[in-house]
Amino acid sequence: MSKYKYNFQNVKKGQQFKDFTAFFEAITGQKPQTGAKNRAAIERELSKYISYCKASEIKPEISSKRAIIIKEIYDSPRKIDENRGRHGKYANYLKPLLLLSCGYSSYEGKMYRLANSLGIFSQYTFDQLKNAENWNRRDKMEFNPWSIKGDMRPGKEQYLRSLWNLIRTTIERNLISMQKEGILEWTYYHKFTPDILIDIDGRKERRFKSKTELKQDNQRRQRFLEEIEKDKNAILLPETLECLNIYSKKWDSYIDQNTLKQEAYRNNMYIPSEYAVLATPEQECAIANLEQFMRQYAYKEYYKQEKFPPVEDITNEFEFFQNSHLLRIYIQLIETMYPWLIECKAIWKEVKYQVVGDASQIERYINVSSFDSELAKESLSKEFLRYMDTHLEQIMFLPTKTTLSDLKGKQFGKRTGPMMERPVSSSKSACALHEKLKQFYPI
C-alpha cells in the first residue's frame, strides 16, 4: 500500500462526503488505491486518527449508501493492535462476517446455512434458488447450493465438492483461530431423525410403525449382527445400535418414545411428521462408531472384498469423501440400512458457536462504523473463486464410460481399458459452472 500524508485541518466533525473517495481526497489530496486489501489497510490506518461511518447510519433521511460522515477526529493517534498472524486473505473478511452474521451472539445450524448467512456466493445461490424445482420454503437460508444431484456429471460433481470443502474447512479454521483467542467457543454436534412413521400409499396421512414391522426390523438387525461378528475386522459395536434405537431399552436421551410421538403432531394435529433429536454425548460416540463402520462397509462393497478391510487400510475421512464412487455407495448403504439397523431415517452434523469475547477483542476484527459487509461478502467469494481458478488442473475426477461426452476434445473409439483420472479443467460441466460463478464474481 502506498504511503499517504494525512491532513485533518480541512475537515471537521459532522462533515459529510458523497463517498469514501471524496472523503479520502479531502484528507490526503489523492484517490485511494483500489482493491479490497488496499481498502482494508487504508481504513485501518485512518482509524488511528478519525472515526467515520455511513451517513445514513446517523441521518436516516439520507438515501445514499455510499455517503460518508465524520464522527470524531482524535487529538492524538490511537494505538491499534496489529494482530499479526491473525489475518489472511480469507480471515480478513470471514472473521468479521462470523461475528456480524450471528449478531455478536451465537449460531446453531447446518454448515451450509451458516455459509448462506455469511453471504458466500450469495448471488449464485439465489440464482440457483430461483431455478430450483419444488422449492417453496420461506426460509431461503435452508437452500443448499452445494448439494450433489444423482444425475450430475462427475467433473461438475468434483468441482462442487472441492469448492464446498474449501469453504467448509476455511470456516472451521477461522472458528478454531477465534476460539484460541478467546473470542468465541464452537463445536460440532449431531442431530438425527428416528424412523417412526410410515407413508400410506395414495394418501397424505402417515402412521406409526407397527409392532410387527418393528419385530421384522429387529430380526433383520440380529441376523446382520450375527453375520458381521464372524468378521474380526468389522468395527461396528452392538451397543452402538442399541444406543441410537429409540425402541431399545438402552435408549438414553432427553426425549422418550412416547414424547416423540406427541411431538410428531406439533405442526399438524392430524398428520404426524418427523422430529429431529439432539444427540447426547453417549450417542455422539455411537454415531462416530457407526459412520466409521459405514465407510468400512462402503470400501468393502466398492472393491468387492469378501471381508471387511482393516480400518488402517481405509483412506482418511477427507480422501474417502473425495472419491465420488465411494461416496455414492456410502449414501446408498445409509439410506437402505439405517431405517432397520438403528430405526433412524437420517443423521447429520451441525455447527454452533457463541461469541464470548469482550468489545476490545471484537474490535480487532471489525470496525462497526466503517465495515462494509457487502464488500466483504463479495471479496470473500472472489478469494474462493481465485483458488479454484488456479487449481483446475490439480483437482482430479474419474470420468465414467457413460459420461465421456462431458470431456473436452474429440473422443475416438470405444473405451476398453480402465478409466483414468482427469483434471476438472477437462470437464465441460465443471468449466461451465466455473465460468458461471465468474459471471457473478469477476476475478
Side-chain angles (χ1 to χ4, degrees):
M1 186 188 79
S2 300
K3 290 185 177 181
Y4 299 97
K5 291 183 178 180
Y6 299 105
N7 181 1
F8 300 98
Q9 299 299 317
N10 298 324
V11 296
K12 60 183 179 179
K13 180 179 178 180
Q15 189 172 350
Q16 186 177 319
F17 302 87
K18 67 175 183 178
D19 55 24
F20 183 82
T21 299
F23 164 66
F24 192 75
E25 284 181 322
I27 296 171
T28 67
Q30 301 179 59
K31 289 186 177 181
Q33 284 185 296
T34 58
K37 290 184 179 180
N38 289 326
R39 173 72 176 265
I42 288 170
E43 290 184 342
R44 182 170 180 78
E45 185 66 18
L46 279 174
S47 66
K48 297 178 182 179
Y49 307 97
I50 191 169
S51 174
Y52 58 94
C53 67
K54 293 180 179 179
S56 57
E57 293 180 11
I58 294 179
K59 299 179 179 180
E61 67 274 14
I62 296 176
S63 59
S64 173
K65 295 182 178 180
R66 301 174 65 189
I68 297 292
I69 192 169
I70 296 176
K71 295 171 65 179
E72 194 71 50
I73 301 174
Y74 307 121
D75 294 330
S76 58
R78 293 193 309 165
K79 185 179 180 181
I80 303 297
D81 185 359
E82 290 297 326
N83 294 312
R84 296 192 183 276
R86 295 171 179 166
H87 297 273
K89 63 180 180 179
Y90 302 123
N92 288 342
Y93 313 115
L94 186 52
K95 288 183 176 180
L97 289 172
L98 283 167
L99 295 169
L100 186 64
S101 66
C102 73
Y104 310 101
S105 179
S106 61
Y107 170 84
E108 288 187 28
K110 294 176 180 177
M111 182 63 89
Y112 71 78
R113 182 184 173 88
L114 175 57
N116 286 343
S117 68
L118 293 171
I120 298 173
F121 290 109
S122 58
Q123 295 180 53
Y124 167 74
T125 299
F126 289 131
D127 178 74
Q128 293 298 106
L129 174 60
K130 204 167 43 178
N131 299 311
E133 296 181 2
N134 303 320
W135 185 267
N136 54 9
R137 299 184 193 176
R138 294 181 181 178
D139 190 351
K140 294 179 180 179
M141 294 294 109
E142 280 295 326
F143 179 74
N144 182 6
W146 316 110
S147 62
I148 305 298
K149 306 295 189 298
D151 58 348
M152 193 173 285
R153 296 295 178 95
K156 181 179 179 180
E157 180 179 333
Q158 188 59 41
Y159 180 97
L160 267 178
R161 185 176 293 113
S162 298
L163 177 53
W164 171 241
N165 182 69
L166 172 64
I167 294 170
R168 177 182 55 79
T169 55
T170 302
I171 293 174
E172 287 176 356
R173 285 198 305 270
N174 281 273
L175 288 172
I176 291 170
S177 172
M178 296 176 80
Q179 181 167 267
K180 288 180 179 178
E181 297 169 47
I183 295 175
L184 56 78
E185 296 175 350
W186 83 284
T187 189
Y188 274 123
Y189 62 94
H190 283 86
K191 282 188 173 181
F192 57 101
T193 307
D195 185 30
I196 62 173
L197 294 171
I198 300 293
D199 292 329
I200 301 176
D201 291 340
R203 296 170 61 181
K204 292 183 179 180
E205 290 84 354
R206 311 175 81 185
R207 62 174 177 81
F208 293 106
K209 274 189 172 182
S210 67
K211 290 184 177 180
T212 300
E213 288 166 331
L214 290 173
K215 183 178 180 181
Q216 291 172 345
D217 287 347
N218 185 55
Q219 291 173 342
R220 188 175 183 181
R221 188 162 50 247
Q222 291 304 316
R223 288 196 299 269
F224 180 75
L225 279 174
E226 290 171 5
E227 187 63 30
I228 66 171
E229 282 177 356
K230 300 174 185 177
D231 192 328
K232 63 179 182 180
N233 289 332
I235 62 170
L236 181 63
L237 302 173
E239 52 265 36
T240 286
L241 306 186
E242 297 289 334
C243 182
L244 297 173
N245 184 349
I246 195 169
Y247 295 99
S248 169
K249 293 180 180 179
K250 294 183 179 179
W251 167 266
D252 182 23
S253 179
Y254 66 94
I255 186 169
D256 59 24
Q257 183 185 147
N258 292 329
T259 305
L260 187 67
K261 287 184 177 180
Q262 293 173 8
E263 289 292 334
Y265 288 98
R266 175 186 287 186
N267 296 324
N268 189 318
M269 62 181 296
Y270 301 106
I271 302 176
S273 58
E274 273 84 14
Y275 182 81
V277 175
L278 177 66
T280 64
E282 182 184 12
Q283 289 171 332
E284 288 284 358
C285 295
I287 290 170
N289 173 245
L290 177 62
E291 290 182 341
Q292 189 178 25
F293 169 74
M294 298 308 290
R295 292 195 296 273
Q296 187 184 36
Y297 201 168
Y299 217 78
K300 171 180 176 291
E301 293 294 299
Y302 178 62
Y303 290 105
K304 297 180 171 57
Q305 299 176 351
E306 292 185 6
K307 295 185 176 182
F308 288 97
V311 173
E312 55 269 20
D313 290 351
I314 302 174
T315 56
N316 62 48
E317 188 173 347
F318 170 77
E319 291 180 353
F320 179 94
F321 288 118
Q322 287 298 301
N323 185 315
S324 59
H325 301 285
L326 281 172
L327 177 62
R328 192 168 286 112
I329 294 173
Y330 177 84
I331 292 173
Q332 290 173 347
L333 288 173
I334 284 176
E335 290 177 348
T336 56
M337 292 177 63
Y338 276 15
W340 58 265
L341 188 64
I342 55 172
E343 302 295 340
C344 176
K345 283 196 172 177
I347 300 175
W348 64 94
K349 185 164 65 173
E350 297 189 356
V351 64
K352 64 179 178 180
Y353 66 92
Q354 181 177 5
V355 178
V356 296
D358 57 31
S360 64
Q361 289 176 301
I362 293 173
E363 286 176 0
R364 295 174 184 174
Y365 291 111
I366 181 168
N367 184 333
V368 179
S369 63
S370 61
F371 180 67
D372 189 334
S373 61
E374 293 305 313
L375 177 62
K377 293 172 184 178
E378 181 178 352
S379 300
L380 179 59
S381 299
K382 286 184 176 181
E383 288 295 347
F384 287 131
L385 194 52
R386 285 190 185 97
Y387 175 92
M388 296 300 292
D389 199 53
T390 58
H391 284 74
L392 293 177
E393 293 292 335
Q394 286 81 37
I395 299 171
M396 307 299 288
F397 78 102
L398 187 64
T400 63
K401 292 181 180 179
T402 58
T403 58
L404 291 178
S405 60
D406 185 48
L407 296 177
K408 291 182 177 181
K410 293 183 179 181
Q411 306 298 317
F412 299 98
K414 291 185 178 180
R415 295 274 178 173
T416 56
M419 300 298 295
M420 303 296 291
E421 283 191 331
R422 300 284 190 91
V424 293
S425 60
S426 67
S427 164
K428 296 176 185 177
S429 59
C431 290
L433 174 57
H434 186 66
E435 291 303 315
K436 184 169 187 176
L437 288 171
K438 289 169 73 173
Q439 290 176 9
F440 290 108
Y441 299 94
I443 53 175

